[in-house]
């Protein structure tokens, strides 16, 4: 056997070995797409029981439980000016819920109280881990489809000091999805569906979950926040970023030292706090 034949046989043997190893690895590893499907199905099963269908008049929307006593978060435009709204739970129960709070100003959030003995709450955490490109999903309702699971990614995040503290997603949503949860891959709520651009494909917006915690008194117990009081309409800054305006601003913070300030009647009012030892600051 000449040297050329030996080289060919050697190459063939190496190829067969590699193919066998690949086949064995493939047999050992389950179908990766099947694993993704299973995970997403479990995520839907975790989130969907917390989502409710809301209707009042000709308006429909979504909401979701945020505590174990029937308190649900939704959009202010979903409940409108109504004192009560009709809700449907995933188990088919049809109930009448009371609108107990609307966020002040232009913040499109509201709370409704559903008369149930217990409810499965979703956690309003995880926004700090959100990045452009992060996977997000939503369970909500739309024309012709209830408890619909859609997914996409975060395409932009607007700073909290902007007039609209929101983030943009590419989740395909219907108008009836407004008020539903936007959650991360761990099932943590990172935002609340608020609006879409009707003449664009899959361009939708969500109100940040930290904004929800800081905008509604009914969520104050769930907010691991520093409460800053200042004169009405005065911008409040925390660590150099505007976080809202007086008379009260709630800010989610990590443990440690932080700087809080505001300009009141032309004078800088500044305080340093160690959170969570200090949980309330007054600027006057």
């Amino acid at each position: 056997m000449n040297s050329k034949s030996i080289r060919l046989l050697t190459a063939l043997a190496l190829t067969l070995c590699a193919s066998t190893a690949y086949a064995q690895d493939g047999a050992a590893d389950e179908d990766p797409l099947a694993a993704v499907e299973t995970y997403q199905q479990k995520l839907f099963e975790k989130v969907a029981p917390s989502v409710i269908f809301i209707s009042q008049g000709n308006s429909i929307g979504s909401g979701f439980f945020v505590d174990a006593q029937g308190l649900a978060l939704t959009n202010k435009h979903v409940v409108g000016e109504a004192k009560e709204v009709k809700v449907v739970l995933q188990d088919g129960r049809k109930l009448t819920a009371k609108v107990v709070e609307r966020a002040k100003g232009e913040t499109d959030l509201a709370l409704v109280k559903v008369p149930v003995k217990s409810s499965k709450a979703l956690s309003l955490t995880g926004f700090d881990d959100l990045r452009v490109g992060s996977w997000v999903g939503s369970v909500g309702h739309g024309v012709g489809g209830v408890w619909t699971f859609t997914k996409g990614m975060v395409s932009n995040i607007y700073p909290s000091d902007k007039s609209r503290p929101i983030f943009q997603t590419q989740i395909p949503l219907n108008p009836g999805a407004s008020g539903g949860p936007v959650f991360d891959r761990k099932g943590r709520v990172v935002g609340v569906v608020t609006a879409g651009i009707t003449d664009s494909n899959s361009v939708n917006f969500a109100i940040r979950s930290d904004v929800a915690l800081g905008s509604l008194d009914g969520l104050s117990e769930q907010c691991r926040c520093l409460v800053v009081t200042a004169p009405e309409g005065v911008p409040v800054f925390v660590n150099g970023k505007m976080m809202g305006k007086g008379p009260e601003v709630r800010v989610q913070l990590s443990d440690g030292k932080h700087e809080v300030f505001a300009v009141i009647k032309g004078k800088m009012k500044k305080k340093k706090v160690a959170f969570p030892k200090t949980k309330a600051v007054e600027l006057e």
Side-chain angles (χ1 to χ4, degrees):
M1 182 179 293
N2 57 35
S3 59
K4 183 176 180 180
S5 298
I6 293 174
R7 287 197 299 271
L8 287 173
L9 288 173
T10 301
L12 179 60
L14 290 173
T15 300
L16 289 172
C17 288
S19 300
T20 302
Y22 180 84
Q24 290 175 344
D25 288 343
D29 296 335
E30 294 184 3
D31 181 352
L33 290 180
V36 171
E37 286 179 352
T38 299
Y39 187 83
Q40 290 184 156
Q41 289 161 1
K42 290 182 178 179
L43 193 57
F44 173 78
E45 292 170 359
K46 175 182 179 180
V47 172
S50 302
V51 178
I52 62 176
F53 175 81
I54 300 176
S55 64
Q56 60 89 17
N58 295 321
S59 174
I60 63 170
S62 306
F64 58 96
F65 290 119
V66 291
D67 74 4
Q69 290 79 45
L71 189 67
L73 180 60
T74 185
N75 284 154
K76 187 160 56 176
H77 80 262
V78 169
V79 300
E81 298 298 323
K83 294 182 180 180
E84 295 182 337
V85 293
K86 302 295 183 182
V87 302
V88 182
L89 310 189
Q90 197 195 28
D91 61 14
R93 281 178 290 171
K94 298 180 180 179
L95 303 166
T96 299
K98 292 183 178 180
V99 180
V100 294
E101 186 179 358
R102 294 175 176 83
K104 298 176 182 177
E106 297 182 359
T107 304
D108 188 21
L109 295 171
L111 291 171
V112 301
K113 184 74 171 179
V114 183
V116 292
K117 292 182 179 179
S118 64
S119 53
K120 184 178 179 182
L122 296 179
S123 173
L124 288 166
T125 58
F127 180 80
D128 288 343
D129 296 330
L130 205 65
R131 301 289 185 271
V132 172
S134 293
W135 183 99
V136 284
S138 184
V139 174
H141 312 299
V143 179
V146 293
W147 284 277
T148 300
F149 181 19
T150 53
K151 60 186 178 66
M153 73 169 187
V154 175
S155 50
N156 200 357
I157 300 176
Y158 297 84
S160 59
D161 58 348
K162 296 296 183 182
S163 59
R164 297 186 69 200
I166 56 177
F167 61 94
Q168 180 180 321
T169 77
Q170 290 183 322
I171 304 174
L173 297 169
N174 292 312
S178 291
V182 175
F183 49 87
D184 65 8
R185 67 183 186 278
K186 297 180 181 179
R188 302 176 300 180
V189 175
V190 295
V192 182
V193 177
T194 183
I197 299 177
T198 57
D199 58 353
S200 297
N201 292 323
S202 302
V203 179
N204 295 281
F205 297 96
I207 300 171
R208 301 160 45 140
S209 59
D210 60 335
V211 173
L213 287 168
S215 301
L216 294 161
D217 293 337
L219 298 179
S220 60
E221 293 184 1
Q222 300 181 36
C223 183
R224 193 173 183 276
C225 298
L226 174 71
V227 180
V228 184
T229 55
E232 180 79 34
V234 171
V236 172
F237 294 81
V238 179
N239 299 327
K241 293 183 178 181
M242 194 187 91
M243 305 305 293
K245 295 182 180 180
E248 183 178 285
V249 177
R250 292 194 291 267
V251 186
Q252 282 187 298
L253 292 176
S254 58
D255 293 355
K257 295 181 179 180
H258 304 273
E259 183 179 78
V260 182
F261 73 86
V263 177
I264 303 172
K265 295 181 179 179
K267 294 184 179 180
M268 172 79 75
K269 302 291 184 178
K270 182 186 298 184
K271 290 188 178 181
K272 296 193 177 199
V273 299
F275 185 81
K277 183 177 180 180
T278 300
K279 294 184 178 180
V281 174
E282 184 176 354
L283 300 175
E284 57 181 14

